Amino acid sequence: MRGNLTPESLFSEVIMLLPHSSTTALVVLEGDNDISALAPFVGKSVKLLPGNGKQNVLGAARLAAADVRFNKTRFIVDRDYDFIASDELAYPPNVLVTRQHDLLMDILCVSKEPLHNALDQQLIGISRRENKRGSSSGSPGADHGGRAAVIQAADRLAFSVAVLRIVSIRLALAIPFRHLNREDITPCPVQLFNMWASGWVTPEADRTRALSEISRTKLEFSIRQYAIISDHDLLQSCCRLLHERNISVSESTLRRCIHNQLTIDVIQGIDLVKDLDMWARLVTGERLLLSPS
């Protein structure tokens, strides 16, 4: 079963799917979410395969790296916080890595419109009520139901969580990260640290060191927040903010709504996709993406 996939069993799947035609190539991604985002826009010359996790993908890539049979296979992984754990990363040469934390954040760095439209779908009831009161124009680009406020607050909250994740890695702290609860609506990483780490980070010297590192990390990434915000933290933050407006939506549903709003113009603007396209043209003679209609 694929649920028990290992690097070795994934490598075996890659061997079975190994492109024998001169016009086909294979791209292995971490999971189904990545496939869902890209598949509608990828041409027939490239097959996509989910690897059921980053370590599976990297492990299979290492097994394939030294074999010339796999020159028409590429492996894609999220950057995550790899650059925090190590200054000099050694990905196998057949691996491509997202520029931001993960693929969805790469997408949103090209355009936030898919997220805007997905939130508008959730906020449409609020928007209609405001229209009845004459407080919203309903014109294209209008801030339906306070979408801008949701995104701004979600960005702040997700950034706070990201700062704590980096501090936890850098200082090897046992911060018990969890899904965002009702009390977690705060843009302040120090407040989140105090709520989550109380009783976990001791002695007091470690807490003082952590608070100092929080301030340094927040300043370090203040102008490139999407480099460290994860898709899960951003979507959970959006769901948390929507819940405050009495709108119940799951992370998976919101992600699906975002994927439904993707366009080929957005996808082809992703640096990772541009790299894949160059490789696909080299090994198959065809473009990675379908031609825009």
Side-chain angles (χ1 to χ4, degrees):
M1 294 177 61
R2 292 201 96 246
N4 298 321
L5 207 63
T6 66
E8 291 75 19
S9 58
L10 176 60
F11 180 62
S12 297
E13 284 195 34
V14 171
I15 292 176
M16 289 188 292
L17 292 171
L18 192 65
H20 298 289
S21 168
S22 62
T23 59
T24 57
L26 177 66
V27 174
V28 184
L29 299 106
E30 285 192 22
D32 291 330
N33 289 332
D34 301 323
I35 301 288
S36 172
L38 295 181
F41 308 101
V42 172
K44 294 181 179 180
S45 64
V46 177
K47 298 177 182 178
L48 303 179
L49 176 69
N52 283 25
K54 182 174 183 176
Q55 295 311 312
N56 283 340
V57 175
L58 287 175
R62 292 187 182 101
L63 292 172
D67 194 324
V68 295
R69 292 179 300 164
F70 298 94
N71 69 329
K72 289 194 294 182
T73 304
R74 282 295 178 269
F75 300 81
I76 310 300
V77 296
D78 293 339
R79 185 170 297 277
D80 297 324
Y81 297 112
D82 292 347
F83 67 102
I84 299 298
S86 174
D87 291 333
E88 295 186 12
L89 302 176
Y91 298 108
N94 53 358
V95 170
L96 295 176
V97 186
T98 61
R99 301 301 196 271
Q100 312 305 322
H101 181 280
D102 50 68
L103 180 60
L104 181 60
M105 302 313 293
D106 271 7
I107 290 170
L108 295 181
C109 276
V110 174
S111 173
K112 275 195 171 184
E113 187 171 349
L115 176 59
H116 293 178
N117 292 340
L119 288 175
D120 283 345
Q121 290 179 354
Q122 305 303 320
L123 292 163
I124 191 168
I126 294 176
S127 179
R128 285 171 176 168
R129 291 194 294 272
E130 290 178 345
N131 284 337
K132 288 180 180 180
R133 294 195 299 267
S135 59
S136 177
S137 66
S139 60
D143 182 12
H144 300 294
R147 176 236 294 153
V150 170
I151 291 177
Q152 186 178 44
D155 279 350
R156 290 199 303 265
L157 178 55
F159 180 63
S160 291
V161 177
V163 167
L164 286 193
R165 292 192 187 280
I166 289 176
V167 170
S168 182
I169 293 169
R170 283 175 168 169
L171 301 184
L173 301 178
I175 297 177
F177 291 96
R178 53 179 165 81
H179 285 278
L180 298 172
N181 292 331
R182 179 180 297 274
E183 68 271 19
D184 294 336
I185 300 300
T186 171
C188 178
V190 172
Q191 292 177 20
L192 280 180
F193 174 81
N194 288 332
M195 286 189 292
W196 288 357
S198 178
W200 287 78
V201 179
T202 56
E204 187 60 32
D206 286 344
R207 294 180 61 86
T208 301
R209 189 162 60 110
L211 292 174
S212 176
E213 186 66 22
I214 285 172
S215 297
R216 188 178 78 83
T217 303
K218 184 178 178 181
L219 179 62
E220 178 183 354
F221 291 100
S222 60
I223 61 174
R224 50 192 183 110
Q225 296 186 10
Y226 272 21
I228 63 171
I229 292 176
S230 79
D231 55 351
H232 295 293
D233 288 339
L234 180 62
L235 295 182
Q236 285 181 32
S237 297
C238 287
C239 293
R240 183 64 253 155
L241 272 297
L242 289 172
H243 182 78
E244 290 297 299
R245 290 159 171 77
N246 297 314
I247 298 171
S248 179
V249 60
S250 67
E251 177 186 341
S252 60
T253 297
L254 186 57
R255 184 188 300 273
R256 186 164 58 250
C257 290
I258 293 172
H259 288 179
N260 289 340
Q261 296 297 324
L262 295 176
T263 66
I264 197 163
D265 289 336
V266 171
I267 295 298
Q268 66 186 7
I270 302 169
D271 288 336
L272 173 66
V273 171
K274 293 176 183 177
D275 292 343
L276 270 179
D277 184 61
M278 291 179 59
W279 165 77
R281 290 200 221 189
L282 180 65
V283 299
T284 71
E286 298 184 23
R287 297 198 59 181
L288 171 74
L289 300 177
L290 297 167
S291 298
S293 56

